[in-house]
Amino acid sequence: MATVPFSDPYVDAVLPADVVRVGPAGAPSPWLDDWHLTAHAVDVDVVHLHTGFGHLDEAELEHWTETVRKLGVPLVVTVHHLRDPAHPDSARHDAHLAAVLATAEVVFALTPGAADEIADRFGRTAIVVACPSLATPDPELGSERGLVGLRLDRVLAAVPDPVGLVRSALSGAVSGGGRLRVLADAGDAAVPPGVQELVDRGDVELVRCRPGEWPAQLQQLHVAVLPEQCGTHSRDLEICRDVGTRVVAPRCGWFTEQWSEVVTYGTDGSCGPDPVSLAAAVAAALTRPMPRAADRAWRQEQAAAVARVHRDVYAQVAADRSWA
């Protein structure tokens, strides 16, 4: 089978062990190219689309779905986001979802709330599957009580006023007797001047991390502030659940359906955080004990169950395949 993307932590976690994934790897995925799909359709039984199609415009994606239908290749779609975190205009992503969901043989959703919205907006019934474990806690690594963390790349991508969000999180951390750490990419990613000013004054700690270090960095926190957009699911939330870090996330969407241990804050109509609500949520989260890391045996059972559902769906749609 072909997965789009070829590999990422979620795709790897849900793919059954006995399913052979067909490449090539690459971003954007070659399987989203009409020519490649046409030339290699006989090599795959199923195409499973997760993410990675945001670079295509509406007409290009509609043409791709027409090619999928013409070739008779079964398409499975997992809706990770009902709003694209990389694009503020929801109309574009809505059109993308309308095209792929109209073509999909089977649709997966990650929470019941997302499944309900998919049914209301697109008329499709989605199978709800949990997001399995995406990280294993480091037994040698401790967490610091009172330490609040923010991933800067998530802030820059999700909110119109990143400096305001950092200031609100800082206010909540100080009110709760803690301190704020901003986690930035180890590359050359620029830090907004307002945030750099807080770092230079010593009000905020800045830590630069390599990609593989994110789970360990999240594990060291008492509270992780997630500036996620409405209509999305959060992989960082699942990592925090795995390693035992309390989460502060927007009240909108389905973050509390992912994990009940989430402290929520309010947002305005454009999904920007309400500063007072965010600060209060951070302070409240610091008064609560650190949650335990997710039980590994339970997480393994959950992952096995999710993989079985995927295996059954792949077998069903492959058996029903209509060859052009």
Side-chain angles (χ1 to χ4, degrees), residues 101-227:
L101 294 181
T103 304
E105 298 285 341
V106 174
V107 179
F108 286 118
L110 303 184
T111 54
D116 290 343
E117 186 167 341
I118 290 167
D120 291 343
R121 289 172 53 190
F122 301 101
R124 293 301 308 266
T125 299
I127 299 171
V128 179
V129 290
C131 181
S133 176
L134 298 177
T136 301
D138 183 346
E140 303 299 322
L141 194 61
S143 54
E144 179 182 333
R145 180 167 295 278
L147 181 59
V148 179
L150 262 174
R151 284 188 62 168
L152 185 60
D153 61 326
R154 297 285 194 263
V155 175
L156 296 176
V159 298
D161 180 16
V163 177
L165 187 143
V166 172
R167 290 184 180 276
S168 297
L170 174 62
S171 174
V174 172
S175 296
R179 63 191 184 92
L180 181 65
R181 172 182 292 174
V182 173
L183 304 171
D185 188 85
D188 297 326
V191 176
V195 176
Q196 188 62 56
E197 179 182 342
L198 294 172
V199 173
D200 293 341
R201 290 204 322 239
D203 296 334
V204 171
E205 178 186 5
L206 176 65
V207 174
R208 291 194 175 271
C209 318
R210 292 185 292 273
E213 296 175 343
W214 292 118
Q217 290 294 334
L218 292 172
Q219 184 176 341
Q220 295 176 58
L221 306 175
H222 183 168
V223 172
V225 179
L226 305 184

Side-chain angles (χ1 to χ4, degrees), residues 12 20 27 49 58 60 72 83 137 157 176 199 219 231-232 238-239 245 257 275 287 300-301:
D12 297 344
V20 178
L49 182 64
E58 181 180 348
E60 289 172 326
R83 177 170 178 174
V199 173
Q219 184 176 341
T232 64
E238 296 295 341
I239 294 173
T245 296
E257 291 187 3
T287 67
Q300 289 167 1
E301 292 173 1

Side-chain angles (χ1 to χ4, degrees), residues 1 7 39 48 51 55 75 118 123 127 131 135 146 148 175 182 187 196 231 237 249 258 266 294-295 297 311 317 324:
M1 72 169 297
S7 178
H48 191 157
T51 58
H55 65 289
L75 177 66
I118 290 167
I127 299 171
C131 181
V148 179
S175 296
V182 173
Q196 188 62 56
L237 184 152
Q258 285 187 254
D295 180 77
R311 181 186 296 109
V317 299

